[in-house]
Amino acid sequence: MGPIEVIYSTIAIMIALVGVARGYARELGNTLVIMAAIFLLTFQESLILNLFSRTGQRVFSIAGDQSDLLNFFLSTVFTLLFISIVFASYSGRVFAFASFGGRPAGPPHGLIISLLVGLLNGYLIAGTLWYYQDKFNYPLQRFGLIRLPLTATGEAIVELLPQRIFDSPVYWMVPVAVLLIFLVRG
Amino acid sequence: MNEQIEILVTFILYLAFFGWIGWMRGRKREGFTLAVALGSWILLQRFSGIFISLANLGKKFFYLAKAGGLSSNSDTQTAAIGTLKSVPPLLTAENAPGFLFVLWVIILILAYVLSSKAWLSKNNKADGWAVLFGLGSGLLYVTVLLPRLIALVVPGDATSTEIIRTSSALDVLGTTLTLLRTSLVNVWQLVRPQASLIILITLTLLLVLAASTLNRSNARKT
């Protein structure tokens, strides 16, 4: 595998292209759910961490000195939680702006907005997946899926992951609140 | 730092001006002008030899006609053809680029004149495409005209001539993009202490912009 930033950038670009294909009227609903998910998982991070650390130790008999295994378990749990929320947002009708009324603008500005919103969703999803690898010391490297150490670019990007750009996860609720206001107006 | 911010703001203003012109002129007019300006510039650069040969041929034909080459008398014709050998070519390696540039300017003016005609006014919408075409025109003009305009601010004929000769449109575009990137990085360094706030505002504005452009008048009732 190549440098980690190439892997996650590819994921982000693919999500952005999906966003362009679906149109921003649909993608905005996903943006809202993804940002809420980032807020929830970051805000309650220590709680989830404690809960699943105990679960790992008791249910899967992960001993205290098996930190690599515990990290792998925790990163998988956080990743699965996040992916489940993202999947639900893509498969469900909840918060779909298109369902509440409104058609996207035509090209070219409609296309540009779709691309920007798609890129934002790509950044949020790929960035969050990367964050849970970085937080738990890259457990996927044991399968040879990730090559360490990080490049200089990778180290710079790690500081700009969604969970790290704001001082508090509460910041993520500002755009969520604004989007909700737009959703329910008229 | 300040100079780079000035350059960035100037460039944005310049592009905004051309985007506005595109909006005012409409999609079809601006698209036509951009297509002609860009197409003719590429053709003149790619097939410059053909245009230079045509111009030289034109000059020789003029001299041939002047010397009686179009006469019905075969002796006069032969004598006229003989004089062509001493006629110097109109365009040399020195003045050919200038000729091609002037030719492009003439085509550009003609394109603007033609685009104002009625046949391009029908269904001529002022929309995002019009703005994009305007921005494209602005970028094309800056890459072609900027090296020539530098002669106004660079002292000395030799330096300005050198700039015009050595710079290609792609070089100017590359330098412009590099300068823009540097300016943006510097601006980012300037606002970095407030990065969180700037990102939050940008993110919220993007989402507000996206949500506000949803066309609710044609919405489906669910």
Side-chain angles (χ1 to χ4, degrees):
Chain A
M1 299 296 271
I4 191 167
E5 61 267 24
V6 175
I7 298 168
Y8 286 106
S9 300
T10 308
I11 295 172
I13 289 167
M14 284 172 71
I15 293 166
L17 291 177
V18 169
V20 172
R22 296 178 78 228
Y24 69 90
R26 292 170 187 270
E27 284 291 307
L28 278 175
N30 304 118
T31 309
L32 197 147
V33 177
I34 295 165
M35 287 193 296
I38 289 172
F39 162 73
L40 278 174
L41 290 177
T42 315
F43 196 71
Q44 298 295 345
E45 196 173 84
S46 54
L47 189 77
I48 300 169
L49 209 57
N50 282 336
L51 178 71
F52 283 97
S53 293
R54 287 180 190 174
T55 308
Q57 286 162 358
R58 291 182 186 175
V59 177
F60 297 101
S61 306
I62 300 172
D65 58 343
Q66 293 177 298
S67 61
D68 282 0
L69 198 58
L70 187 63
N71 279 341
F72 172 68
F73 175 69
L74 290 173
S75 78
T76 307
V77 167
F78 273 101
T79 304
L80 284 178
L81 278 174
F82 180 70
I83 288 176
S84 305
I85 298 170
V86 171
F87 180 76
S89 80
Y90 272 94
S91 62
R93 292 181 61 195
V94 185
F95 294 132
F97 275 64
S99 304
F100 278 76
R103 288 192 319 168
H109 45 292
L111 191 70
I112 293 169
I113 296 171
S114 290
L115 181 65
L116 289 175
V117 175
L119 279 172
L120 174 64
N121 284 353
Y123 158 73
L124 294 175
I125 294 171
T128 300
L129 296 179
W130 187 346
Y131 170 76
Y132 288 122
Q133 284 299 307
D134 187 67
K135 183 172 179 60
F136 297 106
N137 199 25
Y138 297 96
L140 284 182
Q141 65 177 312
R142 61 163 56 200
F143 303 110
L145 296 173
I146 287 172
R147 196 175 68 191
L148 292 177
L150 294 178
T151 61
T153 313
E155 282 176 5
I157 297 174
V158 158
E159 297 305 315
L160 298 171
L161 295 178
Q163 284 75 5
R164 293 201 173 121
I165 55 168
F166 294 137
D167 302 329
S168 162
V170 177
Y171 278 56
W172 284 110
M173 293 314 286
V174 175
V176 169
V178 172
L179 273 185
L180 281 173
I181 291 168
F182 265 90
L183 197 62
V184 297
R185 78 186 169 121
Chain B
M1 177 75 84
N2 284 337
E3 289 80 6
Q4 283 180 335
I5 293 171
E6 280 178 39
I7 292 167
L8 184 65
V9 171
T10 308
F11 192 70
I12 290 169
L13 268 178
Y14 171 84
L15 282 185
F17 177 69
F18 271 93
W20 177 72
I21 288 177
W23 177 268
M24 297 297 286
R25 296 185 75 231
R27 180 205 293 191
K28 284 175 83 174
R29 283 180 176 171
E30 198 61 26
F32 173 78
T33 313
L34 175 62
V36 172
L38 185 63
S40 59
W41 178 256
I42 292 169
L43 278 178
L44 286 171
Q45 298 302 311
R46 182 73 183 80
F47 303 106
S48 57
I50 295 173
F51 295 100
I52 292 166
S53 300
L54 279 174
N56 286 332
L57 201 65
K59 182 185 177 183
K60 292 210 172 186
F61 180 76
F62 174 75
Y63 273 84
L64 179 73
K66 201 176 161 189
L70 300 180
S71 140
S72 55
N73 187 327
S74 61
D75 291 339
T76 315
Q77 276 182 0
T78 313
I81 291 167
T83 60
L84 288 181
K85 287 179 183 171
S86 60
V87 176
L90 177 68
L91 299 174
T92 59
E94 293 292 312
N95 59 10
F99 165 78
L100 292 171
F101 177 70
V102 171
L103 189 59
W104 180 74
V105 170
I106 292 168
I107 293 171
L108 185 65
I109 293 168
L110 281 175
Y112 270 101
V113 172
L114 282 175
S115 68
S116 62
K117 298 293 177 191
W119 57 279
L120 277 173
S121 303
K122 206 174 179 182
N123 297 325
N124 186 31
K125 292 177 186 169
D127 56 10
W129 288 113
V131 176
L132 274 186
F133 292 148
L135 293 176
S137 298
L139 272 177
L140 176 67
Y141 301 154
V142 81
T143 51
V144 175
L145 301 178
L146 196 61
R148 286 154 182 90
L149 290 173
I150 283 174
L152 296 174
V153 287
V154 175
D157 287 344
T159 318
S160 53
T161 310
E162 188 67 19
I163 290 170
I164 294 170
R165 291 252 172 95
T166 55
S167 62
S168 72
L170 284 177
D171 288 340
V172 177
L173 194 62
T175 314
T176 310
L177 290 176
T178 308
L179 195 66
L180 277 177
R181 191 172 59 84
T182 314
S183 304
L184 282 172
V185 168
N186 286 333
V187 170
W188 174 250
Q189 294 296 337
L190 200 69
V191 300
R192 194 160 189 165
Q194 302 299 327
S196 296
L197 197 62
I198 301 286
I199 291 170
L200 182 67
I201 291 170
T202 311
L203 198 64
T204 311
L205 281 179
L206 167 68
L207 296 175
V208 166
L209 170 79
S212 61
T213 55
L214 288 170
N215 186 358
R216 281 167 186 267
S217 58
N218 297 321
R220 286 182 292 129
K221 298 290 180 190
T222 53

